[in-house]
Amino acid sequence: MALTQLCLRTLVHFVVICVILLLSNQIVTAKINRRPNIVLILTDDLDVSLGGMIPLVKTKKLIGDAGITFTSAFVASPLCCPSRASILTGKYPHNHHVINNTLEGNCSSQAWQKSQEPNTFPFLLQRYGYYQTFFAGKYLNEYGNKDAGGVEHIPPGWDYWFALERNSKYYNYTLSVNGKAQKHGQNYSEDYLTDVLANVSIDFLQYKSNYRPFFMMVSTPAPHSPWTAAPQYEDKFSDVKAPRDPSFNVHGKDKHWLIRQAKTPMTNSSVEFLDNAYKKRWQTLLSVDDLVEKVLKKLEVRGELENTYVIFTSDNGYHTGQFSLPMDKRQLYEFDIRVPLLVRGPGIKPNQTSPLLVANVDLGPTILDIAGYDVNKTQMDGMSFLPVMTGQTNSSTWRTDILVEYEGEGKNISDPACPSLGPGVSECFPDCVCEDAYNNTYACVRTVAPSANLQYCEFDDNEVFVEVYNLTADPFQLTNIAKSIEQEVLERMNHRLMMLQSCSGQSCRTPGVYDSRFKFDPRMMFSNTNNLHTSRVHQTLK
């Protein structure tokens, strides 16, 4: 009898323990399930200053009108690979060391893979947030390079991997599908990359686990060259031309030498070419608009849209004829560094706009904050703008300055096609108007505050050149006021810039303290003047 009672009590205890464990597991699962999902849609070379958002009617309605639009969103560097590295790491280029689009410039190099990929926000989401992660599209420009692991390399942090080999294309490309090469041709119904990305995204949403939150990053080729539109959109925008804004086809006579070398007026052939390119860029965006609609409709059908943050942005801006530069993106001006940023999600009221200053280094911290991860545990330079979106902060407590830095590409030799321009130029247009040079190396502090809307930039070149713009009075940056601005303002901006260029982590988020003993000296900005390009690459690859 006693044995029977003992067995019965043991059985009861076992059942109670099982029930407790089951309930605990259900509570943990419920908490995980309540974590919001996150979708990041990243376009390639999409400007906001020159009308890039105009074709994206559905995107503006489904994301912008349903949430918040940031009107002062910038990139830390106006070039694809450094900018994408900043998005993934939450760091400024001087901290992630990706300086251009080449393997030698640390773009998807082995050094990048070892030092930075294990610290990206997708890795933290997957490892510590129990998120299932999905990537589709362009990753970094040199991804898939055989000297850096080829398409077999899958960066840590991704459960599902559909990455484009190398740079943006629309047809005849290779995808890494979970580490295996998948070649595509030029059949529209099977191969048009924007549509392929939409389809694999929908498949992920259909077949993913329903017991874990997810992070999905979709990185479209559009509107990057070669500007190949889907067949049904090839005839759209037939009358559209590049905007003739006040800086269009105007000589930048008071600007850095690279801008001054542009020919004004541009040749008729150059204007015709950039007008055609502008129209084609818009055409490619119509497929991006379709992708956004498909993804959001799928989320809605599955009942997941209300618990999902959707972020739409670009890796940099673009110019088409501004200051007589035909087309590219590597300059310090608004058209190249300012990007669209639209977000919808839980706790974000619809039809909002925010003028507060945000940057692409803030995307990682914001996404981690949404997922409930403490950003202070990371070495990220950016800060979460989730409190801005949910109305928990305002201009009096938000930052006023961000850093923009770029290291020019080019070698210390002359371009055979344009020998009169001397050594170091690159990205030269047919009319020998060059978009870049090895000493197109600059650092800027961009200030957006209730009392000031300024940009201050210093160049690492023989001129020790400085450009300053008051964008309240001069929104198109037509007049460089560096020689007429008050000395105290120059000193403050120079000091702030030096602090930002030497910052790391938490120190990048503080406003800095102005020292009245500090004297204006732009030569102090660059520790190894005129050898910066070589020294930084060397340090990166050590």
Side-chain angles (χ1 to χ4, degrees):
M1 185 69 176
L3 183 60
T4 302
Q5 288 177 338
L6 179 61
C7 290
L8 183 60
R9 282 199 300 270
T10 302
L11 180 61
V12 170
H13 288 160
F14 177 75
V15 170
V16 169
I17 291 171
C18 287
V19 169
I20 290 172
L21 289 173
L22 181 61
L23 289 174
S24 298
N25 187 56
Q26 287 178 339
I27 291 170
V28 171
T29 302
K31 285 182 178 179
I32 291 171
N33 285 341
R34 283 200 302 270
R35 288 182 185 172
N37 308 307
I38 307 162
V39 176
L40 172 60
I41 300 172
L42 179 65
T43 52
D44 197 350
D45 286 3
L46 176 59
D47 69 276
V48 69
S49 297
L50 301 177
M53 287 297 295
I54 292 174
L56 294 162
V57 176
K58 292 181 281 193
T59 299
K60 288 185 288 183
K61 178 181 178 182
L62 293 170
I63 304 178
D65 293 351
I68 186 168
T69 299
F70 287 90
T71 57
S72 299
F74 294 87
V75 293
S77 185
L79 187 64
C80 300
C81 206
S83 177
R84 288 165 183 266
S86 287
I87 290 172
L88 290 163
T89 63
K91 296 178 181 179
Y92 285 119
H94 70 265
N95 287 327
H96 63 58
H97 306 299
V98 178
I99 60 174
N100 57 43
N101 287 343
T102 67
L103 203 63
E104 295 75 18
N106 206 26
C107 180
S108 204
S109 68
Q110 290 185 14
W112 154 268
Q113 293 170 14
K114 291 176 182 177
S115 66
Q116 300 301 322
E117 282 188 342
N119 299 301
T120 61
F121 77 83
F123 175 80
L124 298 175
L125 282 178
Q126 183 201 56
R127 174 66 62 90
Y128 301 109
Y130 202 61
Y131 273 71
Q132 51 193 321
T133 56
F134 168 91
F135 181 88
K138 176 179 172 180
Y139 178 59
L140 299 175
N141 295 56
E142 284 295 324
Y143 172 77
N145 190 311
K146 286 182 170 41
D147 292 333
V151 296
E152 293 78 21
H153 172 67
I154 303 174
W158 299 103
D159 295 309
Y160 303 92
W161 183 250
F162 295 83
L164 177 68
E165 180 188 41
R166 303 294 182 96
N167 205 357
S168 285
K169 290 184 178 180
Y170 298 82
Y171 294 110
N172 300 310
Y173 55 86
T174 298
L175 287 180
S176 170
V177 179
N178 296 318
K180 294 183 178 180
Q182 181 186 90
K183 294 189 178 296
H184 284 259
Q186 50 189 8
N187 183 324
Y188 167 70
S189 62
E190 297 177 359
D191 301 314
Y192 189 70
L193 182 54
T194 308
D195 291 354
V196 169
L197 300 182
N199 293 337
V200 296
S201 299
I202 298 305
D203 287 344
F204 168 72
L205 292 174
Q206 180 66 35
Y207 298 112
K208 65 178 175 58
S209 167
N210 293 325
Y211 300 101
R212 295 167 59 195
F214 67 85
F215 169 69
M216 181 166 72
M217 182 172 178
V218 186
S219 182
T220 73
H224 195 286
S225 60
W227 313 305
T228 309
Q232 67 270 30
Y233 297 135
E234 288 176 347
D235 297 327
K236 297 291 185 180
F237 309 121
S238 57
D239 297 328
V240 166
K241 294 183 178 181
R244 269 52 172 176
D245 69 338
S247 64
F248 181 84
N249 211 1
V250 170
H251 192 260
K253 57 183 180 299
D254 58 0
K255 293 174 170 49
H256 176 53
W257 77 269
L258 187 65
I259 310 302
R260 299 198 303 267
Q261 56 89 34
K263 295 178 173 65
T264 306
M266 293 183 287
T267 63
N268 291 337
S269 59
S270 290
V271 173
E272 182 179 350
F273 182 83
L274 66 88
D275 277 339
N276 190 48
Y278 188 89
K279 174 183 67 177
K280 288 182 175 180
R281 281 166 53 82
W282 274 24
Q283 291 170 348
T284 66
L285 286 170
L286 293 177
S287 294
V288 175
D289 216 25
D290 292 341
L291 179 152
V292 170
E293 182 182 43
K294 290 174 185 176
V295 169
L296 268 70
K297 278 189 173 180
K298 187 66 175 179
L299 288 168
E300 186 174 29
V301 168
R302 291 181 56 83
E304 296 177 311
L305 183 56
E306 295 308 310
N307 192 40
T308 301
Y309 286 88
V310 183
I311 304 168
F312 181 91
T313 190
S314 176
D315 59 357
N316 48 254
Y318 207 70
H319 59 259
T320 48
Q322 282 61 48
F323 302 125
S324 299
L325 295 173
M327 59 180 63
D328 196 54
K329 61 273 187 113
R330 301 155 206 260
Q331 307 307 327
L332 56 92
Y333 309 105
E334 293 287 282
F335 40 72
D336 284 358
I337 65 172
R338 194 163 152 250
V339 292
L341 179 59
L342 288 61
V343 190
R344 65 170 291 165
I348 302 177
K349 295 179 181 178
N351 296 306
Q352 290 190 79
T353 58
S354 173
L356 298 187
L357 182 63
V358 295
N360 62 349
V361 293
D362 300 328
L363 288 170
T366 302
I367 290 170
L368 291 176
D369 193 12
I370 289 170
Y373 187 85
D374 185 359
V375 180
N376 291 322
K377 293 180 179 178
T378 75
Q379 292 299 310
M380 292 184 174
D381 304 331
M383 54 197 294
S384 170
F385 53 79
L386 180 60
V388 175
M389 298 191 292
T390 54
Q392 297 173 23
T393 192
N394 55 48
S395 59
S396 64
T397 57
W398 191 248
R399 66 129 93 84
T400 58
D401 303 300
I402 60 161
L403 175 68
V404 179
E405 50 190 351
Y406 177 70
E407 184 161 324
E409 291 186 47
K411 298 179 181 178
N412 198 13
I413 57 175
S414 297
D415 186 330
C418 309
S420 64
L421 293 174
V425 293
S426 65
E427 305 296 324
C428 295
F429 208 69
D431 298 316
C432 278
V433 176
C434 300
E435 295 280 359
D436 208 357
Y438 72 90
N439 65 344
N440 181 38
T441 294
Y442 57 81
C444 307
V445 57
R446 183 69 175 88
T447 300
V448 177
S451 59
N453 187 9
L454 297 171
Q455 184 180 30
Y456 173 93
C457 301
E458 298 178 8
F459 282 84
D460 177 33
D461 62 8
N462 293 329
E463 293 182 278
V464 194
F465 202 76
V466 176
E467 295 190 29
V468 184
Y469 298 97
N470 178 353
L471 283 100
T472 301
D474 180 20
F476 294 98
Q477 297 168 289
L478 300 175
T479 305
N480 177 9
I481 59 173
K483 294 181 180 179
S484 60
I485 198 170
E486 294 179 7
Q487 183 75 9
E488 184 181 357
V489 176
L490 279 177
E491 290 175 359
R492 287 179 183 272
M493 299 293 278
N494 175 238
H495 189 208
R496 180 61 178 141
L497 183 51
M498 287 208 301
M499 292 184 69
L500 279 170
Q501 266 224 303
S502 61
C503 76
S504 178
Q506 180 67 38
S507 64
C508 297
R509 308 170 210 159
T510 57
V513 179
Y514 175 62
D515 186 343
S516 60
R517 297 169 297 176
F518 184 80
K519 298 304 179 186
F520 170 65
D521 185 357
R523 290 170 296 182
M524 293 177 65
M525 265 297 308
F526 302 98
S527 58
N528 195 5
T529 304
N530 299 323
N531 291 305
L532 187 64
H533 181 81
T534 304
S535 64
R536 280 194 184 172
V537 173
H538 179 66
Q539 290 168 8
T540 295
L541 300 179
K542 274 185 177 179

